[in-house]
Amino acid sequence: MTTSISSQQPRILIAEDEESFIDALTVGLSREGFVIEVAHDGLQALEMFESHHPDLILLDLMLPRMSGIDVCRTIRARSNVPIIMVTAKATEIDTVVGLEVGADDYVVKPFRLRELVARIRAVLRRTANSSSPSSSETNGEILEIGELRLDTKRHEVAMGSKIIQMPLKEFELLEILMRNAGNVLTRDMLIERVWGSDYVGDTKTLDVHIKRLRARIEADPTHPQLITTIRGLGYRFELPTRGK
Ligand code: CA
């Protein structure tokens, strides 16, 4: 898939305090055509985000002076810049997700450069597609199921009168689920539609995003009524049992 985001080199801010990682990432990602800037602690990451306006932030969870979680939250409160969170353990992802810090994707150390590059490109492509309305001339559409309302043009989700903020990928996932309400969507299908066929991670990422979505839209996320799990298959957005 070739989209036209490669005319200028995307700038990536790496927030990382381990020198060996910084070196490897700088060399590897520069070779892939990205411009790399490095912040060595959380506060510096915030400052550099403000002054450098990177296209994407690769944010380590454990940083001196200010944690990756706080950095992510602070940035997310004022910007939709894509953020990929880097964690040392897979189990940390659940913690981070539980805190709803708003990262767009996660990678677990150690990771292969190829995997990271694929994720970076996928996140950048989605962002580029969604922020250039001229590229998709399709008119906006409003999906409404029960109290939940999703506006594809304004990229807005509301439950009743309450606006619900969510990162791009969760929005896309919700949109696909709502468009296919009443039908089971398999994990593979969802991953391909939201993350692209070049997605190289495991299906845990999908579950993590479903969990985040539920936390935002379900009255009781531990007993989901809207997005249900169909064991061994995937997920389904449930149609309301009464009315329309
Ligand atoms: Ca660290």
Side-chain angles (χ1 to χ4, degrees):
M1 180 171 161
T2 49
T3 43
S4 54
I5 52 165
S6 52
S7 51
Q8 75 237 54
Q9 298 181 305
R11 287 172 308 117
I12 298 179
L13 174 61
I14 297 176
E16 173 64 71
D17 59 320
E18 281 173 60
E19 289 301 331
S20 59
F21 252 83
I22 293 172
D23 293 345
L25 285 174
T26 305
V27 171
L29 292 177
S30 302
R31 202 176 281 155
E32 293 288 330
F34 300 107
V35 176
I36 304 302
E37 285 143 358
V38 179
H40 298 266
D41 62 59
L43 281 181
Q44 195 187 10
L46 269 189
E47 287 162 13
M48 289 182 71
F49 158 72
E50 299 279 1
S51 56
H52 290 59
H53 306 290
D55 296 304
L56 183 142
I57 301 173
L58 196 61
L59 182 60
D60 189 36
L61 184 71
M62 303 296 280
L63 288 171
R65 293 175 81 204
M66 187 178 193
S67 78
I69 289 172
D70 291 335
V71 173
C72 191
R73 269 206 188 117
T74 309
I75 290 176
R76 196 45 91 227
R78 52 185 113 150
S79 163
N80 281 323
V81 63
I83 298 175
I84 297 179
M85 196 78 121
V86 182
T87 67
K89 292 189 221 111
T91 51
E92 286 174 351
I93 293 179
D94 289 333
T95 312
V96 177
V97 165
L99 293 169
E100 289 193 70
V101 294
D104 294 276
D105 205 353
Y106 303 88
V107 286
V108 180
K109 288 176 178 174
F111 47 80
R112 289 178 187 278
L113 188 68
R114 274 186 66 172
E115 179 192 346
L116 179 64
V117 169
R119 288 185 185 219
I120 288 173
R121 293 224 163 98
V123 169
L124 286 174
R125 193 164 52 229
R126 281 198 310 276
T127 318
N129 289 343
S130 72
S131 60
S132 58
S134 57
S135 68
S136 59
E137 284 299 328
T138 51
N139 284 322
E141 200 183 331
I142 293 171
L143 307 175
E144 222 167 347
I145 300 174
E147 288 276 278
L148 192 65
R149 187 183 145 96
L150 182 146
D151 185 329
T152 60
K153 192 176 190 179
R154 299 172 66 186
H155 259 259
E156 204 171 82
V157 178
M159 181 65 84
S161 57
K162 187 183 157 224
I163 302 286
I164 302 170
Q165 301 291 340
M166 62 179 71
L168 182 60
K169 197 157 17 174
E170 284 171 58
F171 181 91
E172 291 178 347
L173 188 56
L174 181 61
E175 181 181 340
I176 290 167
L177 286 164
M178 286 178 75
R179 278 189 194 285
N180 295 281
N183 298 316
V184 181
L185 294 174
T186 66
R187 306 181 111 74
D188 288 348
M189 208 183 280
L190 287 168
I191 289 169
E192 182 172 340
R193 300 270 290 277
V194 178
W195 283 268
S197 51
D198 56 350
Y199 181 72
V200 285
D202 57 29
T203 59
K204 178 149 177 87
T205 306
L206 172 64
D207 300 331
V208 158
H209 280 78
I210 291 282
K211 201 162 158 183
R212 289 165 65 178
L213 261 182
R214 282 174 172 160
R216 291 179 207 280
I217 65 172
E218 298 280 359
D220 176 4
T222 56
H223 296 99
Q225 305 293 310
L226 300 174
I227 302 174
T228 55
T229 303
I230 310 301
R231 197 165 281 279
L233 268 180
Y235 296 100
R236 178 171 62 209
F237 196 98
E238 299 293 340
L239 288 167
T241 46
R242 58 181 168 77
K244 78 173 201 111

